[in-house]
C-alpha cells in the first residue's frame, strides 16, 4: 500500500484554500454540527412546520398524534438525503482524485446518465423485478467504461479528454433516454417522477441502496492514502509502494457504485459531486484522509439544505432538490471553469 504521509500544499493539486484554516479535527467537528442543524431543518420545515421542542417530544413517542405522523413522514426523506448526499460527495472526491481534474464529477462524466439509462431501458423493455439499483448499476458501469476508454491516452487518463468524453457520453445517453421515454408511455410515467432529482420517493428506498452505499464508502475510505500518492503522479506513487492501476480501477468501481445507488434512489442530482470536493478541500486541505470524512459530512448537509430551500421557495408546493442544486451548481461550475482557465494560461 501507499506511504501514509500527508500531502503538503506544494504537492497537492491546484486548489483554493480558505485564509482561516483550522485543524482538521476541529473542522470536522464543526461540519458535524452543521449536519445536525441540516437534519433538524429537514425534520422541522415543510407544509406543517414543527418546532424543535415538538420534534424532541415526538421522537420520544410523546405529543399529539398528528405531530408524530408528520415527523414520521419526514424521517425517511431525511435519511435518504443523508445517504444520497454522502454517496454523491464521496464519489466526487474519488473521481477528482483519480482524474486529478477539478471538474471530475460523476454527473458531468456521464455516470449518472448511464444509471438513468439503465433504469429506463429496464422499465421499457426488460421489466426487471426488484430494486431499480440492479438496473442502474450496469448502465453506470457501461458509461464509466466508455468514458474512461475515450478519455485515456498512452500515458493514462488525460483530464481534458476525460471531461470531453463525459460530455459526449452524457449527451448521447440523454438522447437515448428521451427517445425511449417518448415512445414508451410506461417508461415515461416512471421516469418523470425522479427525472429532475427528488428526495420525495419514487425510486429505490434506503434499505435497497444501503448495502451498495456501504460497500462504496468503505472502498473509497480504503483508497485515501493511495489517492494521496496518486496526486503526486504515477511514478511517485509507484515509488511510494502504491499501484496506480489498482487504485484507479478500485476507485472507478467505488465511484460508479455510489453514483448508481444515489441515482436509483433520487434521480440524477447534479453538481453535488462537483462542488462538495472543492468545499472539503478548502476546509481541511488536500489530504484525502481528511477530505473523505469532510465530504461525508458536507454532502448530506448541502443536499438537505437544498431540499429545505425547495420546500420554502414555492410553498405550499415544492421545488425538487435537483432543480435547486442545479441553480446553485451552475455558478460554481462557471467559477471552476474560469479558475481552471486562469491557472492554465
Amino acid at each position: 500500500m501507499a506511504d501514509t504521509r500527508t500531502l503538503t500544499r506544494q504537492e497537492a493539486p491546484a486548489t483554493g484554500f480558505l485564509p482561516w484554516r483550522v485543524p482538521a479535527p476541529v473542522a470536522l467537528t464543526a461540519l458535524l454540527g452543521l449536519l445536525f442543524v441540516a437534519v433538524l431543518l429537514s425534520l422541522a420545515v415543510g407544509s406543517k412546520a414543527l418546532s424543535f421542542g415538538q420534534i424532541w417530544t415526538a421522537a420520544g413517542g410523546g405529543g399529539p398524534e398528528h405531530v408524530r405522523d408528520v415527523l414520521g413522514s419526514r424521517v425517511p426523506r431525511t435519511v435518504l438525503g443523508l445517504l444520497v448526499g454522502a454517496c454523491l460527495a464521496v464519489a466526487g472526491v474519488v473521481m477528482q482524485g483519480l482524474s486529478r481534474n477539478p471538474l471530475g464529477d460523476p454527473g458531468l462524466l456521464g455516470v449518472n446518465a448511464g444509471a438513468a439509462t439503465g433504469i429506463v431501458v429496464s422499465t421499457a423493455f426488460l421489466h426487471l423485478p426488484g430494486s431499480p439499483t440492479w438496473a442502474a448499476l450496469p448502465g453506470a458501469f457501461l458509461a464509466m467504461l466508455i468514458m474512461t476508454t475515450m478519455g485515456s491516452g498512452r500515458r493514462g487518463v488525460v483530464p481534458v479528454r476525460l471531461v470531453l468524453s463525459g460530455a459526449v457520453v452524457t449527451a448521447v445517453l440523454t438522447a437515448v433516454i428521451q427517445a425511449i421515454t417518448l415512445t414508451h408511455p410506461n417508461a415515461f410515467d416512471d421516469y418523470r417522477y425522479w427525472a429532475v432529482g427528488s428526495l420525495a420517493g419514487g425510486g429505490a428506498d434506503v434499505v435497497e441502496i444501503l448495502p451498495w452505499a456501504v460497500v462504496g464508502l468503505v472502498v473509497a475510505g480504503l483508497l485515501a492514502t493511495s489517492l494521496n500518492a496518486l496526486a503526486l503522479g504515477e511514478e511517485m506513487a509507484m515509488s511510494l509502494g502504491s499501484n496506480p492501476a489498482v487504485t484507479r480501477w478500485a476507485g472507478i468501481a467505488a465511484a460508479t457504485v455510489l453514483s448508481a445507488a444515489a441515482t436509483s434512489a433520487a434521480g440524477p442530482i447534479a453538481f453535488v459531486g462537483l462542488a462538495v470536493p472543492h468545499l472539503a478541500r478548502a476546509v481541511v486541505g488536500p489530504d484525502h484522509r481528511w477530505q473523505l470524512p469532510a465530504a461525508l459530512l458536507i454532502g448530506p448537509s448541502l443536499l438537505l439544505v437544498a431540499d429545505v430551500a425547495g420546500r420554502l421557495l414555492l410553498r405550499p408546493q415544492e421545488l425538487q432538490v435537483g432543480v435547486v442544486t442545479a441553480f446553485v451548481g451552475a455558478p460554481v461550475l462557471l467559477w471552476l471553469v474560469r479558475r481552471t482557465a486562469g491557472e492554465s494560461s
Side-chain angles (χ1 to χ4, degrees):
M1 297 296 292
D3 190 359
T4 56
R5 71 192 183 105
T6 302
L7 291 175
T8 65
R9 292 188 180 188
Q10 288 72 27
E11 294 170 334
T15 56
F17 293 93
L18 299 179
W20 39 267
R21 288 287 302 281
V22 297
V26 176
L28 292 182
T29 303
L31 292 176
L32 186 61
L34 177 65
L35 178 61
F36 180 72
V37 173
V39 169
L40 283 181
L41 289 175
S42 179
L43 295 175
V45 178
S47 56
K48 168 66 178 175
L50 301 179
S51 67
F52 295 148
Q54 288 177 311
I55 294 174
W56 179 263
T57 302
E65 183 177 357
H66 73 277
V67 174
R68 294 198 301 271
D69 292 340
V70 171
L71 181 63
S73 67
R74 291 177 185 168
V75 168
R77 182 170 183 161
T78 302
V79 175
L80 187 63
L82 290 172
L83 205 54
V84 170
C87 289
L88 293 175
V90 171
V93 171
V94 172
M95 287 304 300
Q96 291 188 15
L98 291 176
S99 63
R100 304 177 68 187
N101 188 331
L103 299 178
D105 168 41
L108 292 177
L109 297 180
V111 181
N112 294 351
T117 305
I119 295 174
V120 170
V121 169
S122 173
T123 303
F125 304 110
L126 304 178
H127 308 291
L128 295 176
S131 171
T133 309
W134 288 105
L137 282 169
F141 271 104
L142 181 60
M144 180 66 84
L145 180 62
I146 295 173
M147 181 271 298
T148 304
T149 303
M150 293 174 60
S152 299
R154 293 182 178 178
R155 296 185 177 182
V157 173
V158 181
V160 174
R161 187 184 294 181
L162 194 70
V163 174
L164 294 175
S165 302
V168 172
V169 171
T170 300
V172 172
L173 292 179
T174 301
V176 170
I177 291 173
Q178 291 176 344
I180 295 175
T181 53
L182 289 175
T183 55
H184 292 75
N186 60 327
F188 178 77
D189 288 340
D190 289 342
Y191 180 71
R192 66 189 176 92
Y193 283 111
W194 56 277
V196 294
S198 173
L199 299 178
D205 57 30
V206 172
V207 176
E208 290 173 335
I209 68 170
L210 184 60
W212 301 104
V214 170
V215 170
L217 293 174
V218 169
V219 172
L222 294 175
L223 292 175
T225 54
S226 298
L227 290 174
N228 280 349
L230 193 61
L232 305 175
E234 293 200 6
E235 294 183 358
M236 180 64 76
M238 293 177 67
S239 68
L240 293 174
S242 177
N243 187 327
V246 172
T247 302
R248 180 167 293 112
W249 286 111
I252 287 174
T256 304
V257 168
L258 291 171
S259 300
T263 303
S264 66
I269 297 176
F271 296 115
V272 174
L274 173 69
V276 171
H278 291 272
L279 295 173
R281 202 151 43 235
V283 173
V284 298
D287 192 333
H288 287 87
R289 291 173 297 176
W290 294 113
Q291 268 191 56
L292 288 169
L296 200 63
L297 297 173
I298 297 174
S301 301
L302 180 64
L303 198 60
L304 289 178
V305 170
D307 188 43
V308 170
R311 299 180 208 174
L312 296 176
L313 290 174
L314 294 180
R315 294 183 74 174
Q317 297 180 342
E318 293 185 4
L319 192 63
Q320 283 85 355
V321 66
V323 178
V324 178
T325 59
F327 276 119
V328 176
V332 173
L333 178 61
L334 291 175
W335 173 73
L336 289 174
V337 170
R338 289 180 58 85
R339 183 170 175 273
T340 304
E343 290 172 350
S344 60
S345 61

